[in-house]
Amino acid sequence: MESRRTTVRDVRRANRSSLLTDLFHGGLQSRQQLAATTALSQASVSNLIGEMLEEGLVEEAGLVGSDGGRPRVLLRVRPGFRYVVGADVAETRVLVELYDLSMARLAAVELEHDDDPAQVAEQLLAGLATVIAEAGVQSKDVLGYGVGVPGVVDQDGVVDSQSTGWDAVPLGAMLRAGTSVPIFVENGAKTFGQAEMWFGSARGARHAVIIMIGTGVGAAVVMDGRGYRGANSNAGEWGHTTLVYDGELCRCGARGCLEAYVGAGGISRRLAAATGRPDTPDLVDAMLTDTPPEAEPVFAETAGYLGAGIADLINLFSPERIVLGGVAGAHFGERFLPEIREAAARHALRRPYSQTSIDLCTLGPDAVAMGAATLPIAQLLAEGGLPEPEEPMMALPPRSRRPNERTRR
């Protein structure tokens, strides 16, 4: 294979990327701090920061005292330099949110859909137009539109989801046909994972698995600070690993999948059978709040199933941190986290388990949309600013150096 020569332009872009990544994830910093954390010379930092100040990408944001010297100027990525939009495609609705580059949410809208791909695309485009208008920004100032969806997503934005009946749906192309805003389509569990890695409970971890449990079950696997996608972008379908051979029928058509036992639908069906109550969408939440005696064995069994599934992740990936989230996962975990940890300890190898923490997510119900909105920011950071006009837009993960010290607004 012919190797590509590194040019001066490549080095400059990499250096800008390092500075931007530190500013975005580390918050307010001085030039001196940036030189220390990026290992760039003070002259290089001053020159590159000067360029980004002129471009409006970076701004001065106050002073901090130094030991006996002049106060140092603090810098940050300018929030209003550009904007990003993220969407969460759930079973019956889409949530669309617009953020500035400080990840302050400026506008949001929720729209219903009937799961038909054409109608979902139409609602996503309507949501994009709505939040742009509500925030009072221009389309040309939107870096990109990230969309988190259920199912397997390839790098061209083609979606396959046996659970929802989507078969090779070209969602990315459908959206690009209706807007000039750059489109990024990704699996919703992965965008949820990216939000937790950047701003939530997985922040600062280099090796982590972020679990999302709702009606569906998925996982985002992070190895050495980068999301693991597999050879064809299909990695992370943890919910469709086999828990029980020839067990309960899963939505995907297979039997015995983990999702059939720990997904919201599976828990609800078993609760309905055990208690004689109707299988309604709010049954799990209602019984977590007020648990009848007949429901207790179902919840105990579910904690055991979930702990066993987490043990598989520990044995496979040996992460330093596992984060449990999603609407059903967060609610169930708040009540049964000790039991889940105990079950994981019984099924995992002792040493990997002892080196792994199992925690709950800290972000709210819009984490999928928030994570989707970071997809174009990942490109901004990787490119060291806006890409050159002749170069294609590609979603690349940033190289994170340390935990995000900013709080979400």
Side-chain angles (χ1 to χ4, degrees), residues 254-277:
R255 287 190 173 273
C257 292
L258 181 69
E259 181 178 299
Y261 294 88
V262 305
I267 302 173
S268 183
R269 284 192 300 273
R270 299 202 316 280
L271 284 172
T275 63
R277 298 188 187 182

Side-chain angles (χ1 to χ4, degrees), residues 91-256:
E91 281 202 327
T92 60
R93 54 90 178 150
V94 295
L95 171 66
V96 184
E97 300 182 331
L98 185 144
Y99 295 85
D100 65 18
L101 294 188
S102 72
M103 294 311 293
R105 188 176 66 180
L106 305 182
V109 65
E110 191 169 305
L111 302 169
E112 294 183 354
H113 69 80
D114 59 11
D115 209 32
D116 174 70
Q119 201 233 4
V120 170
E122 180 181 330
Q123 295 292 68
L124 284 168
L125 290 170
L128 173 64
T130 298
V131 295
I132 287 174
E134 183 180 324
V137 305
Q138 299 184 48
S139 295
K140 67 180 180 63
D141 291 328
V142 177
L143 277 177
Y145 185 16
V147 179
V149 296
V152 174
V153 183
D154 73 13
Q155 294 188 2
D156 294 323
V158 177
V159 183
D160 282 277
S161 175
Q162 292 174 218
S163 300
T164 60
W166 284 26
D167 184 14
V169 173
L171 183 62
M174 295 164 71
L175 295 174
R176 292 182 188 103
T179 181
S180 60
V181 174
I183 299 296
F184 303 77
V185 182
E186 181 58 281
N187 171 268
K190 290 185 174 66
T191 69
F192 173 80
Q194 182 146 307
E196 285 289 339
M197 284 294 297
W198 285 25
F199 311 114
S201 294
R203 192 173 61 184
R206 298 293 295 173
H207 298 269
V209 181
I210 300 92
I211 296 168
M212 180 179 172
I213 299 179
T215 303
V217 174
V221 179
V222 178
M223 304 173 67
D224 198 23
R226 299 178 67 92
Y228 179 71
R229 300 179 58 88
N232 298 294
S233 303
N234 301 339
E237 290 296 328
W238 174 61
H240 299 292
T241 56
T242 302
L243 181 68
V244 178
Y245 174 73
D246 203 26
E248 295 286 340
L249 182 66
C250 180
R251 294 187 305 157
C252 72
R255 287 190 173 273

Side-chain angles (χ1 to χ4, degrees), residues 293-318:
E294 310 94 299
E296 291 177 357
V298 175
F299 284 139
E301 183 182 55
T302 301
Y305 286 142
L306 181 52
I310 288 174
D312 288 341
L313 294 173
I314 292 171
N315 291 342
L316 281 169
F317 299 108
S318 188

